Amino acid sequence: MARNPEINSLLSLLDDEDESIAVNAMAELLNREAELGEALAELQESSHPLLRRRSHQLQAAITLRRRRREFIRKLQAPRVDLIDGLIDVHLQWYDNDSRPELESLWSDFRQEAARCPLHTLEELAYFMRKSGFTAQPETTLRPENYCIGPILENHTGSAALLAAIAGAITPAPFRMVRVMGDFALYDGEGRLLVPAHDWQLCPAPGIGLCEFWDPRMLLRYASLTLFSCAVNSDSFRYVLTIAQALSGTTGDETLDYLPYPYCPADEEPESDGTEESGKNPGR
């Protein structure tokens, strides 16, 4: 199928020596992603290094956009696969990582867990302790604590994610809860397994004090925490991309509802000369 002549013209600009011309062409091509077809795959085989590099950059940007759109669709779906969603959350922060590698990491861990009996809270607590999983305080300063890759590799992470991961490896219908600030697994018979207290088992308080969490709530919590991590570290790029992942938008308008400096400040109205000297007019 023949491509739109305008698309061909824009693609030809990817090889321009003027960086600003190429960047503007890439921005326009991003807005017309659906019209590109196999063009970028073809250009990535070009003998021109500059053209190859920019086509790879454009493909990477498109892949990230698609990943963000897919994530918001999953959050809006009637059912959410927890581990698939946690991999999506990881890729919002470590965006150069590979999904197949993360899936393989989870598969290896799942196989290891399958060799142990995990039908009761006691068995689950024993396995997680023996495996060396240690909960860290909830914080917006350690993004790795909310990404499944580092958690599985280092055996340390947010108590919320450790509770979710533990719940995902047991066949028992334990439910994730938050009780008085602590995340835990609830067995439905009045007992809790609390990762933050070295996987301690304890009696659950009244059911009215238990806030039950589903996978969608956990994924939003992890993503919003990563968003706060980005703000704390002044990582403008991740503020933008995670906001897009959570809102489902792709353009700069995503930032319209954020405060300065992530959204441009309103311009001061021009003075008509009536204000008193030395005083600033109200905004």
Side-chain angles (χ1 to χ4, degrees):
M1 181 173 127
R3 283 195 295 269
N4 185 316
E6 291 182 15
I7 296 296
N8 286 331
S9 178
L10 288 167
L11 289 169
S12 70
L13 296 177
L14 295 180
D15 203 20
D16 200 292
E17 295 292 337
D18 188 325
E19 188 74 18
S20 63
I21 291 176
V23 167
N24 287 332
M26 291 171 74
E28 182 60 27
L29 287 166
L30 274 174
N31 291 331
R32 302 177 68 168
E33 171 191 337
E35 301 176 56
L36 294 179
E38 299 298 319
L40 294 182
E42 296 169 8
L43 293 179
Q44 287 166 21
E45 303 300 323
S46 169
S47 59
H48 299 282
L50 191 58
L51 187 56
R52 283 202 311 273
R53 176 170 64 83
R54 287 174 174 160
S55 60
H56 276 290
Q57 289 174 337
L58 187 55
Q59 184 63 65
I62 289 172
T63 298
L64 291 177
R65 281 189 169 200
R66 290 174 178 170
R67 186 182 289 167
R68 293 193 289 268
R69 290 196 297 266
E70 181 63 23
F71 181 61
I72 193 65
R73 280 196 291 269
K74 289 177 181 177
L75 288 182
Q76 294 170 347
R79 295 181 62 85
V80 181
D81 182 274
L82 175 65
I83 300 304
D84 183 58
L86 288 177
I87 290 174
D88 284 329
V89 171
H90 173 112
L91 292 172
Q92 302 305 324
W93 191 265
Y94 296 105
D95 49 15
N96 289 322
D97 283 0
S98 160
R99 172 176 283 275
E101 289 181 2
L102 292 169
E103 291 173 343
S104 177
L105 187 64
W106 170 254
S107 178
D108 290 345
F109 173 67
R110 188 69 183 263
Q111 289 177 21
E112 178 187 350
R115 292 194 287 267
C116 304
L118 299 172
H119 299 280
T120 67
L121 289 182
E122 287 85 358
E123 292 172 342
L124 192 57
Y126 175 78
F127 172 78
M128 296 301 284
R129 283 198 208 101
K130 181 182 177 182
S131 299
F133 282 97
T134 304
Q136 299 296 317
E138 305 302 314
T139 176
T140 59
L141 300 177
R142 301 293 299 272
E144 66 274 15
N145 288 347
Y146 298 86
C147 298
I148 191 170
I151 291 174
L152 293 179
E153 290 178 334
N154 304 325
H155 290 197
T156 185
S158 152
L161 267 73
L162 288 184
I165 288 170
I169 60 173
T170 173
F174 301 144
R175 297 183 64 186
M176 184 172 171
V177 296
R178 192 173 191 181
V179 182
M180 294 180 287
D182 279 329
F183 289 95
L185 290 178
Y186 177 63
D187 67 357
E189 298 178 1
R191 297 190 308 160
L192 299 173
L193 176 59
V194 189
H197 298 173
D198 192 28
W199 302 98
Q200 177 183 1
L201 274 70
C202 62
I207 197 70
L209 296 177
C210 294
E211 179 185 348
F212 289 88
W213 280 45
D214 61 26
R216 186 179 290 103
M217 293 171 67
L218 178 74
L219 297 177
R220 285 192 176 277
Y221 172 76
S223 297
L224 287 169
T225 304
L226 289 180
F227 178 83
S228 297
C229 290
V231 172
N232 281 342
S233 59
D234 290 326
S235 299
F236 184 88
R237 173 191 172 199
Y238 289 106
V239 170
L240 171 62
T241 58
I242 296 174
Q244 289 176 338
L246 286 168
S247 64
T249 56
T250 57
D252 291 339
E253 71 275 4
T254 303
L255 302 184
D256 287 351
Y257 54 81
L258 297 178
Y260 178 83
Y262 306 109
C263 178
D266 294 335
E267 294 185 3
E268 293 282 357
E270 293 186 8
S271 172
D272 60 5
T274 60
E275 293 83 16
E276 294 182 28
S277 176
K279 293 184 178 180
N280 293 323
R283 296 189 60 185

